[in-house]
Amino acid sequence: MKIRLLYPDSTLPTYAHETDSGMDLIAHEDVLIPPGEWRLIGTGIAIELSPLTEAQIRPRSGLASKHGITVLNSPGTIDEGYQGEIKVILINHSSQPFDVTKGMRIAQMVIAPIVRPPIQVFRGELVETSRGNGGFGSTGV
Ligand SMILES: O=c1ccn([C@H]2C[C@H](O)[C@@H](COP(=O)(O)OP(=O)(O)OP(=O)(O)O)O2)c(=O)[nH]1
Ligand SMILES: [Mg+2]
């Protein structure tokens, strides 16, 4: 994949350890998130994904466990063809305001394969399965 730095001071997201699943995304702006509110935060980068892959924006567990900060739409979906700036929607679940500062690692981005199956539309019955319509606790708790 390619990562495009949109501004002279954009910071490249990196894997903290080479075997990590996600690369840490960096805030490209200062944003104060009041208690209970959410904000859209720019990362200063855009990406070019390989065919049949997507990027998922996931929370960092440290921010969640220490500050009650998470990704509101987790996992955020970055579509293969999206060329705009990657932005992160953070929500502050704590009772204190949270200061996002430029350069802070605010979320992580995981690249994952996706499937776009051919779709067949029909009106008959689905092939029978053992689960059938059972769900929402049908197997007990
Ligand atoms: O956390 C996110 C989620 C999405 N996006 C960008 C990339 C994605 O490809 C595009 C659309 O996202 P999504 O499909 O989740 O939003 P939508 O509300 O369905 O908007 P659209 O109608 O543009 O698809 O917005 C981000 O930068 N960050
Ligand atoms: Mg969409």
Side-chain angles (χ1 to χ4, degrees):
M1 69 179 283
K2 286 186 192 165
I3 299 180
R4 180 177 174 218
L5 303 175
L6 296 172
Y7 307 101
D9 59 350
S10 293
T11 309
L12 189 68
T14 52
Y15 294 98
H17 298 281
E18 62 182 17
T19 53
D20 284 357
S21 302
M23 57 188 98
D24 290 324
L25 290 172
I26 314 293
H28 191 256
E29 52 188 336
D30 294 329
V31 180
L32 181 76
I33 315 178
E37 296 194 19
W38 62 87
R39 294 288 184 270
L40 192 60
I41 301 159
T43 63
I45 62 156
I47 60 176
E48 189 174 290
L49 286 164
S50 305
L52 292 177
T53 65
E54 63 160 347
Q56 301 172 359
I57 309 299
R58 302 192 194 166
R60 294 188 66 213
S61 62
L63 286 179
S65 62
K66 291 180 193 150
H67 302 287
I69 297 293
T70 190
V71 175
L72 177 58
N73 57 326
S74 181
T77 303
I78 309 299
D79 299 292
E80 188 184 305
Y82 179 69
Q83 298 183 317
E85 181 177 7
I86 292 184
K87 298 188 177 182
V88 176
I89 308 169
L90 288 185
I91 182 165
N92 179 2
H93 285 296
S94 80
S95 51
Q96 308 296 323
F98 185 79
D99 243 328
V100 172
T101 53
K102 191 171 175 178
M104 182 182 273
R105 292 178 297 150
I106 53 173
Q108 55 189 319
M109 180 167 74
V110 174
I111 309 301
I114 58 113
V115 175
R116 271 187 217 103
I119 294 174
Q120 257 180 288
V121 181
F122 75 110
R123 294 183 191 277
E125 296 296 314
L126 295 170
V127 170
E128 197 181 322
T129 65
S130 66
R131 175 170 280 277
N133 294 332
F136 312 101
S138 66
T139 62
V141 279

